[in-house]
Amino acid sequence: MVDIRYDLAFKLYPYEPIATQTQPAQRRPVVIVGGGPVGMATALDLGRKGTPVLVLDDHEGVGQGSRAICFAKRTLEIADRLGAGQRMRDKGVVWNVGRVFHGPEQVFEFNLAPEGGHKNPAFINLQQPYFEKFLVDEIRVAQDEGVPIEIRGRHALTGLEVVGDHVRLEVDTPDGPYQLEADWLIACDGARSPIRDMMGLSFDGRVFEDNFLIADVKMMADFPTERWFWFEPPFKDSGQSALLHKQPDDIWRIDFQLGWDIDRAKELREDNIRARVDAMLGEGAEYELEWTSIYTFQCRRMAQFRHDRVIFAGDSAHQVSPFGARGANSGVQDAENLAWKLDLVVKGLAPDTLLDSYAQERAHGADENILNSTRATDFLTPKSEMSKRFRNAVLELARDHAFARPLVNSGRLSVPCVYDGLSLNGPDRLDGPARTRVGAPCVDATLADGFLLDRLPGQFVVLSLDVDAPQIEEVDGVPIHHVSLDLSVDDPNDMVRARYLGDAPYAIYLLRPDQHVAARWNTAGADDIRAALRIALGKGAEI
Amino acid sequence: MTLNLEPNIADPDGFYDELLAVHQGLSDADSQALNARLILVLANHVGDRQVLRAALKVAAKR
């Protein structure tokens, strides 16, 4: 028996019985449990690198409901590398302007319009089912090219045991159970992770006593494509805050903060939801309710993301409030951090301790996301009279005075974290810009011919700027790709110069497969690059 | 910069008068709101995080 817990938006991987059902357990190098954005991104990345992956999902496709709707630039950059970025940009709604209201008054507006020279916008809004579908579609393209990815729908993990050098899995299907073995098991099974429960692992953090009502409505409206956020909204019964944000297909996300003591069933009744939406949009507004949901949230993470041969990624490992769009976006960054490391470990090119750096780096990212989303939540839902007074004082002052606007916090929007001071970092021997320091993700730039990030494939790269780098093809069997730019030709807008050199005349960067900076120098010899690369492989001597 | 805890306000009695005057006739709630705005305005003027942290510590000590 495999229970169906939700309806599908897209049926993408219908159940198929497997031929080996009654045979002894087959061994797989990597099994991913959970076919959401994190599981599918991990599968596609690993598969494209040549490591065979099996994805188990207990449903046959993508669940209904828009859920995550804001996908950040870094996520789109990763999707680009995986081959799915263009469809996301084509379908997604690009937005830059946000307005913040307090009651009926606008407090201020902001514009995320990024500096020039980035292929991707700061954000697109896209319903999560589309994001997942585009990844799966790209997996199908990859499979046709021979990339070793297998997806099994309605195959539900029901038990597991770590035994020595592998994990033994119990899987249930409509045709009954079977067993599997995995060298590595990746748990992408969501915030309520059954794997976490099967292993008896805790998931501690802070519960926020608040309910939020989502009403996605379909309407032809001429609201601008902007993020509108109200503190203490003026419309009847709209709660403590409200949000209006556009998605593709003429769908608008409306979000009301209802408070703690509510009657969920009553609030979810269509007439009650319509009364709230009518008050917000004005009497006579015509719309269809596309999807409604009430959610609560918590900010918490697992103490360890790696438990021997079981690795947790995305919501199963960490959970944040939705303010700031840090859930799905950070999960996709988990996926890309894990994929290159696990690929090298599976191929025997790196020690398995490299996977500890996944846990270290992404726990660092999770802590940053939890900190930011907790602070946003405290601003949105003041927990005491005094904190509410300060919150409202900030909002009142922000109308007239620029100084107070940076204190207004309706969610600090997701940006990738910098792995400052962590174990894979090599030397920073360049007096270069802080934004591309060691540990930082590469910043995109327009080149004479295309974009910089499109020149960085999912492997180690030596990027040399106006200087010759030693032509090392590999270190300990790990291949190195070289990108050499002559800035007088390749950098007509001086973007690479501003973002990677600053006042330095030339530089050599060692970049990781996930486009984070591993080391940088004015000039480097072959030994410098070898040593830094070994550190980035988790073999590292201290520097 | 360090937090200045030495006398620094010219005409202290005059300042104190003005501080009370802006609260004159306000309800407790309005007075507290005014104080919150005042703290934010002054904190921004100081700016220096170390000084602000030291000031928070001094004020929180009873």
Side-chain angles (χ1 to χ4, degrees), chain A residues 25-193:
Chain A
Q26 285 200 319
R27 175 78 73 95
R28 296 295 183 121
V30 179
V31 172
I32 294 172
V33 174
V38 182
M40 289 307 184
T42 309
L44 184 52
D45 211 353
L46 273 167
R48 282 222 185 270
K49 291 175 196 298
T51 286
V53 193
L54 170 62
V55 180
L56 303 179
D57 193 279
D58 59 0
H59 286 66
E60 296 180 302
V62 181
Q64 269 185 355
S66 53
R67 292 167 289 153
I69 59 163
C70 285
F71 292 93
K73 185 158 78 73
R74 184 64 203 147
T75 302
L76 296 171
E77 289 166 356
I78 295 167
D80 260 331
R81 191 172 55 68
L82 297 176
Q86 188 60 49
R87 287 184 72 195
M88 293 180 187
R89 275 190 299 279
D90 288 348
K91 182 72 189 176
V93 173
V94 176
W95 62 276
N96 286 308
V97 173
R99 291 179 197 276
V100 176
F101 302 88
H102 187 200
E105 308 259 333
Q106 178 172 320
V107 177
F108 72 106
E109 67 175 88
F110 59 84
N111 193 336
L112 297 174
E115 54 179 7
H118 294 260
K119 179 175 178 183
N120 282 293
F123 279 93
I124 61 166
N125 283 2
L126 181 69
Q127 293 89 331
Q128 183 175 336
Y130 283 119
F131 187 88
E132 295 184 36
K133 181 179 189 302
F134 295 156
L135 284 177
V136 174
D137 288 348
E138 192 58 30
I139 286 176
R140 298 306 184 199
V141 170
Q143 286 171 325
D144 288 342
E145 294 164 1
V147 166
I149 302 172
E150 185 187 349
I151 303 173
R152 293 183 183 171
R154 271 194 105 188
H155 286 234
L157 184 79
T158 54
L160 70 95
E161 188 185 1
V162 179
V163 274
D165 67 349
H166 66 277
V167 189
R168 195 174 295 149
L169 307 177
E170 296 284 335
V171 181
D172 203 3
T173 73
D175 287 305
Y178 68 99
Q179 291 181 342
L180 261 179
E181 291 175 358
D183 292 339
W184 300 96
L185 177 68
I186 308 180
C188 304
D189 53 349
R192 295 187 190 89
S193 172

Side-chain angles (χ1 to χ4, degrees), chain A residues 136-333:
Chain A
V136 174
D137 288 348
E138 192 58 30
I139 286 176
R140 298 306 184 199
V141 170
Q143 286 171 325
D144 288 342
E145 294 164 1
V147 166
I149 302 172
E150 185 187 349
I151 303 173
R152 293 183 183 171
R154 271 194 105 188
H155 286 234
L157 184 79
T158 54
L160 70 95
E161 188 185 1
V162 179
V163 274
D165 67 349
H166 66 277
V167 189
R168 195 174 295 149
L169 307 177
E170 296 284 335
V171 181
D172 203 3
T173 73
D175 287 305
Y178 68 99
Q179 291 181 342
L180 261 179
E181 291 175 358
D183 292 339
W184 300 96
L185 177 68
I186 308 180
C188 304
D189 53 349
R192 295 187 190 89
S193 172
I195 294 179
R196 210 178 49 224
D197 289 343
M198 288 174 204
M199 296 178 71
L201 298 169
S202 62
F203 196 36
D204 298 324
R206 190 169 150 199
V207 180
F208 288 85
E209 297 193 337
D210 227 318
N211 288 281
F212 289 78
L213 169 68
I214 289 180
D216 275 3
V217 306
K218 187 175 179 82
M219 61 178 175
M220 304 302 287
D222 46 10
F223 296 114
T225 305
E226 299 174 347
R227 179 187 196 255
W228 287 7
F229 190 94
W230 287 263
F231 292 97
E232 302 183 327
F235 354 105
K236 186 171 179 292
D237 290 335
S238 52
Q240 283 207 55
S241 70
L243 174 80
L244 177 69
H245 215 176
K246 191 178 187 184
Q247 304 170 45
D249 304 337
D250 299 310
I251 309 279
W252 298 77
R253 163 69 55 91
I254 299 175
D255 206 344
F256 298 109
Q257 182 184 351
L258 299 186
W260 186 233
D261 287 317
I262 63 160
D263 178 343
R264 286 174 70 98
K266 178 173 159 245
E267 300 300 348
L268 275 171
R269 278 196 351 235
E270 180 165 344
D271 55 333
N272 281 320
I273 293 176
R274 281 192 171 271
R276 283 207 163 86
V277 174
D278 287 345
M280 183 178 195
L281 299 177
E283 280 301 325
E286 287 193 19
Y287 58 87
E288 292 163 39
L289 289 176
E290 180 80 6
W291 181 62
T292 59
S293 172
I294 286 183
Y295 65 94
T296 58
F297 58 81
Q298 313 194 6
C299 286
R300 53 186 180 170
R301 76 162 169 92
M302 297 179 74
Q304 297 291 335
F305 295 179
R306 178 186 175 196
H307 288 262
D308 194 7
R309 292 185 164 265
V310 183
I311 298 166
F312 292 81
D315 282 354
S316 71
H318 46 75
Q319 208 185 346
V320 294
S321 81
F323 309 111
R326 290 165 181 270
N329 286 303
S330 69
V332 172
Q333 289 165 52

Side-chain angles (χ1 to χ4, degrees), chain A residues 386 389 393-394 396-397 403, chain B residues 29 32 36-37 39-41 44:
Chain A
M386 201 60 216
R389 277 189 224 290
V394 166
E396 283 165 29
L397 289 165
F403 90 84
Chain B
Q32 294 211 34
R37 292 194 296 273
I39 288 167
L40 292 167
V41 168
N44 180 69

Side-chain angles (χ1 to χ4, degrees), chain A residues 13 34 149 193 309 377 418 449 470 477 501:
Chain A
Y13 27 89
I149 302 172
S193 172
R309 292 185 164 265
T377 308
V418 177
D449 179 18
L501 288 184

Side-chain angles (χ1 to χ4, degrees), chain B residues 1-2 8 14 18 21 24 29 35 38 42 45 49 54 62:
Chain B
M1 214 165 76
T2 52
N8 193 34
E18 285 177 48
Q24 191 82 45
N35 275 345
L38 181 62
L42 294 176
H45 182 80
R49 284 292 304 281
R62 306 173 58 106

